[in-house]
Amino acid sequence: MDNFLQKGSYMDCGMFIQSIMLSAVEHGLATCPQAALGEYPDIVREELSYAEDKLLLCGMALGYEDKSEIVNSYRTPRKELDNMVRYFS
Ligand SMILES: Cc1cc2nc3c(=O)[nH]c(=O)nc-3n(C[C@H](O)[C@H](O)[C@H](O)COP(=O)(O)O)c2cc1C
């Protein structure tokens, strides 16, 4: 992301990342987003040579899921929607 952008752009990027993830599934692929890469931007910049005025938010593994690997059968629990959303009327 351009490093001068503000809060709203983080939302844009998050939605864009999710769109890529959903599209990947639609095409028979799997993804694993990794925000941890954003903690090591210098190492990633050295390898990929992206511009100095860019902020690294996230990496993403993209590929074919190996369904025979036990790690890929792990499912995290989901909270009820009411736990995440506050309604105002
Ligand atoms: C934007 C985003 C960034 C993430 N970054 C990391 C990360 O850096 N390291 C990590 O172990 N998991 C990270 N995760 C979590 C995993 O990618 C994944 O969501 C988790 O294994 C649980 O899978 P699930 O979301 O299908 O329940 C991230 C998830 C999201 C949505």
Side-chain angles (χ1 to χ4, degrees), residues 32-36 58 76 78:
C32 182
Q34 292 143 355
C58 189
T76 53
R78 296 292 188 257

